[in-house]
Amino acid sequence: MSFNERIRIFLEYALAFCIILEFNTPYTVFPVVKRTIQIMPVFLLIVLILMSHYSIKKSINVYVLFYLVGAIVPMYALENGAYLGYIKSFVAILPLLWIYLSLRKSVGTSAYLSIFLKYSNLMVVLAVISLIMWLLCSLMHIIPPTARMPYEWAPNKFFIPSYYGIYFETQSIAPFGVKLCRNTGIFNEGPMYNMALCSALILECFIRPVKSKFKISILAITVFSTLTTTGQFFLLFLCGWYLYKKIIKQRVLLIFMIPLLLYGAFIGGSALMTNKIESGGYGSVNSRSNDIQRCIEIGFEHPLVGVGLVTKERLGGLSGIGKEVGYSNSLFTVFARGGVYSLLLYIGGLLFIPYRYSRKYKDYHWFIAMLCFFLIFTITISYLKYLTLLFLAWGLSNINMVKWKDDEET
């Protein structure tokens, strides 16, 4: 392995680690850490692009140029002081990720997937650590807290227990009447950790060329330990998918098994929803539906570019409602904040382009992976996070419908 390749691997791991830390971790309570995590990926991507001898096809350059020109439109809906955040995400990080992935695409499949698989590797390590700490600290209480960490996520909670700075206790729930701490790892809440884990699990199940049962098992167990309804449904889906793949070639067995699988999914889903409601989740479900309804109303009042895609102001305050809006659903929040204009960017990059690409080359693994990510993204507020922008850039880098070069061909 050459020296340049070693440097590239290090820089890609650093980029993936910044993407993880930026995905709502308590460390961002410190301004210096927050700025470093947000700005460092820009420099890392510039260095990686320069190391790749920037020279990609004219069509990609044209697509990126059109995007950058089009990115000016949503800026008209931004309030003063929000431009820097918008430029950071949509004029810097997203185009740079797009360009770098397009460059690596011409090298080979393993090079093209490199950042994603490094992200998954890091998440497996974090999953192992959090599982051990969750058992020893939160369940068995063998290790006491070593410090108190400042906490900005909840309005009525200012500090959280910290264990050596590598594990935090941020949330607890009462499934079946038993109070348990969620495994939130190094994240601010269970749903965010769940989405980060599910993203890695998607990559391991559908994208990684050589499957690792160990990595899949660790990620699946950790998803379960977050005690989130979304995570449990996702695990049910994966179990159903693997059973379907096992019996798809046996048509007679398939005819009998599909009704059983659907019935099992119904029973499992019903049990999860019943438990959520009995443990106080009915209010959460009701507030989510109300939030979606308000986002749709705001979106139809400003259908083209919304009320401002990037802003520190609450969506309710911007729209004149006065209440907190847009806290439970990325898809409808994008519609309210960015209008149809921004919504098409997310749907196109995460769904439409992967679907067309998969149909063209008769390989639906990528589309299924992106569909899974889209569904989790939809019910988690993450539309401005670097992890979502990474998957969005993944879709945009295939806008020219050119096949990923196989490593064997290279």
Side-chain angles (χ1 to χ4, degrees):
M1 185 182 296
S2 66
F3 177 74
N4 282 347
E5 190 60 29
R6 292 177 186 273
I7 294 296
R8 184 193 303 282
I9 291 172
F10 173 78
L11 293 177
E12 286 185 341
Y13 266 115
L15 176 60
F17 192 55
C18 285
I19 289 172
I20 291 171
L21 294 181
E22 194 267 345
F23 199 64
N24 284 333
T25 58
Y27 307 115
T28 57
V29 72
F30 305 109
V32 174
V33 176
K34 184 175 183 177
R35 289 168 192 156
T36 301
I37 291 170
Q38 291 181 338
I39 300 302
M40 185 60 69
V42 176
F43 296 101
L44 291 172
L45 282 166
I46 291 174
V47 174
L48 284 168
I49 289 171
L50 292 176
M51 288 181 63
S52 302
H53 306 293
Y54 177 64
S55 176
I56 55 178
K57 293 184 179 180
K58 184 178 179 181
S59 60
I60 295 296
N61 288 317
V62 171
Y63 284 130
V64 174
L65 178 61
F66 275 137
Y67 165 80
L68 290 174
V69 172
I72 296 174
V73 177
M75 294 183 71
Y76 285 101
L78 296 178
E79 59 181 9
N80 293 333
Y83 294 105
L84 186 61
Y86 180 86
I87 290 171
K88 175 198 68 181
S89 297
F90 295 99
V91 183
I93 293 294
L94 180 56
L96 286 173
L97 284 169
W98 180 355
I99 290 171
Y100 184 62
L101 289 176
S102 298
L103 283 168
R104 302 299 287 167
K105 181 179 176 180
S106 62
V107 177
T109 300
S110 59
Y112 180 58
L113 301 176
S114 183
I115 292 179
F116 295 91
L117 299 184
K118 287 178 173 58
Y119 165 83
S120 181
N121 290 340
L122 289 174
M123 285 306 304
V124 170
V125 173
L126 292 176
V128 171
I129 293 172
S130 73
L131 274 179
I132 294 173
M133 300 301 284
W134 183 59
L135 290 170
L136 296 179
C137 304
S138 299
L139 297 186
M140 304 172 119
H141 306 291
I142 295 175
I143 301 176
T146 57
R148 302 284 288 178
M149 183 78 169
Y151 190 60
E152 294 182 330
W153 193 254
N156 57 348
K157 184 185 293 188
F158 304 101
F159 293 92
I160 52 174
S162 170
Y163 297 83
Y164 304 102
I166 58 173
Y167 176 77
F168 307 102
E169 288 180 342
T170 62
Q171 289 180 322
S172 61
I173 62 170
F176 307 107
V178 180
K179 187 176 180 180
L180 290 174
C181 278
R182 279 177 164 173
N183 179 4
T184 56
I186 60 169
F187 291 81
N188 277 320
E189 64 169 5
M192 282 295 172
Y193 190 24
N194 174 72
M195 183 172 178
L197 289 166
C198 287
S199 300
L201 191 53
I202 288 166
L203 295 170
E204 292 296 331
C205 291
F206 299 108
I207 299 300
R208 188 179 288 276
V210 180
K211 303 292 184 290
S212 169
K213 292 182 179 179
F214 172 77
K215 290 181 179 180
I216 292 174
S217 300
I218 287 294
L219 290 170
I221 294 170
T222 312
V223 166
F224 181 80
S225 70
T226 64
L227 303 177
T228 58
T229 305
T230 303
Q232 318 311 316
F233 273 114
F234 184 71
L235 293 177
L236 278 177
F237 165 76
L238 284 183
C239 290
W241 172 259
Y242 273 104
L243 286 174
Y244 173 76
K245 293 293 289 183
K246 288 285 186 182
I247 63 176
I248 189 173
K249 294 181 180 179
Q250 304 178 34
R251 294 188 177 182
V252 176
L253 183 60
L254 184 63
I255 293 173
F256 289 100
M257 286 299 295
I258 284 184
L260 292 176
L261 288 176
L262 293 175
Y263 179 72
F266 173 76
I267 295 297
S270 298
L272 287 174
M273 290 306 299
T274 300
N275 177 57
K276 183 176 180 67
I277 292 171
E278 289 178 350
S279 59
Y282 179 77
S284 173
V285 174
N286 191 43
S287 62
R288 275 182 180 272
S289 62
N290 291 335
D291 183 56
I292 291 172
Q293 182 179 349
R294 289 197 292 267
C295 284
I296 293 174
E297 292 171 357
I298 295 170
F300 279 116
E301 290 177 5
H302 308 272
L304 184 58
V305 293
V307 296
L309 190 61
V310 177
T311 174
K312 293 181 180 179
E313 291 293 326
R314 294 187 307 171
L315 183 55
L318 288 171
S319 61
I321 294 176
K323 299 178 180 178
E324 187 174 355
V325 181
Y327 56 83
S328 66
N329 187 290
S330 284
L331 190 66
F332 292 101
T333 303
V334 169
F335 175 53
R337 285 190 172 275
V340 174
Y341 197 86
S342 298
L343 189 62
L344 288 176
L345 171 67
Y346 281 86
I347 294 177
L350 296 177
L351 283 185
F352 181 69
I353 295 172
Y355 176 70
R356 284 198 62 209
Y357 181 96
S358 297
R359 280 201 64 183
K360 182 176 181 180
Y361 296 106
K362 310 300 182 186
D363 182 0
Y364 289 91
H365 286 87
W366 183 47
F367 173 67
I368 293 172
M370 293 293 271
L371 176 62
C372 289
F373 179 84
F374 179 80
L375 294 175
I376 298 170
F377 151 81
T378 296
I379 57 177
T380 308
I381 291 296
S382 61
Y383 61 97
L384 293 177
K385 294 301 175 183
Y386 289 172
L387 178 61
T388 297
L389 297 181
L390 175 63
F391 275 82
L392 185 57
W394 196 5
L396 293 174
S397 66
N398 289 284
I399 196 170
N400 59 349
M401 293 294 139
V402 174
K403 192 177 187 300
W404 311 344
K405 183 174 289 186
D406 292 333
D407 293 327
E408 290 77 9
E409 294 177 7
T410 308

